Amino acid sequence: MQSLAHELNFSESTFVSAPEIAAAVRRVRIFTPRVELPMAGHPTVGTAWVLASRGEIVLEGPSTVAILQLEIGPISVAVEGVHRQPEFVWMTHREPTYGAIRDDRARIASALGIDPADIRGDLPIQIVSTGVPFLFVPIKSVEALGRCAPNGPALAALFDAHEEKLALHMFAIGDSREFGVRARMFAPHTVGIAEDPATGGAAGPFGA
């Protein structure tokens, strides 16, 4: 599975097999080009869509709840639609856990290629997880967010040898008339993804 995921080189690839827990429809394993993930948002939602399209999640409409077995355990998805025609998929995340708050703004800014003044001082730089931990970094503007760069060695150096290296999720809060939040996620130093175009595993804890 890891060899295939490396060759395909998508942000994540899922592999579906028979479940090992009675309540689950299928077991789903998720791989980046480099490592296996315990959970991820978009691969879970996308796999549920495919399973519903194939009739392996039987849509009894208007919303059908099913359990998928991920590496972190059972995860609930709700599929809207009927007759093998899914229209929308919801994924329920686990309850969030809140980790350490970091105070090394200058160090983090340098690793991202921005100025310390580009990081907001009124919001914490904090680790949050609903299955996979991320380090959330509040950025003052969309312009500064655009200047952030996924430098793998610099990002890896943010974590000491005894610490787990975490992906960084940077966000800028905007005018709600245009957008609520713009966000980017860098993980070249952890899972081999320079920048993930969409990150459900981070969107859940960020929303929390």
Side-chain angles (χ1 to χ4, degrees), residues 53-136:
S53 300
R54 291 167 54 92
E56 296 180 48
I57 294 177
V58 180
L59 300 183
E60 298 170 339
S63 180
T64 300
V65 176
I67 301 297
L68 298 178
Q69 178 189 347
L70 305 187
E71 288 303 289
I72 63 167
I75 289 292
S76 174
V77 293
V79 186
E80 297 177 3
V82 294
H83 307 308
R84 297 194 180 192
Q85 294 180 329
E87 297 177 357
F88 205 88
V89 178
W90 299 89
M91 172 187 174
T92 300
H93 283 245
R94 289 185 169 186
E95 290 294 318
T97 57
Y98 297 89
I101 294 175
R102 303 208 21 173
D103 58 5
D104 52 345
R105 276 179 164 73
R107 185 182 176 197
I108 291 171
S110 177
L112 291 171
I114 58 177
D115 296 325
D118 291 323
I119 297 179
R120 293 178 60 162
D122 59 330
L123 294 174
I125 301 170
Q126 186 170 13
I127 298 167
V128 191
S129 173
T130 57
V132 174
F134 292 85
L135 180 62
F136 291 91

Side-chain angles (χ1 to χ4, degrees), residues 1-10 12-15 31-34:
M1 286 183 274
Q2 186 65 75
S3 295
L4 286 172
H6 178 76
E7 182 174 351
L8 291 169
N9 202 37
F10 296 139
E12 296 104 355
S13 300
T14 66
F15 296 83
F31 289 80
T32 77
R34 184 183 295 173

Side-chain angles (χ1 to χ4, degrees), residues 27 57 87 130 166 196 198-199 202 206:
R27 182 183 183 188
I57 294 177
E87 297 177 357
T130 57
L166 303 181
D196 197 349
T199 314
F206 173 74

Side-chain angles (χ1 to χ4, degrees), residues 19-32:
E20 297 172 344
I21 55 177
V25 175
R26 291 289 183 271
R27 182 183 183 188
V28 180
R29 297 180 67 179
I30 304 168
F31 289 80
T32 77

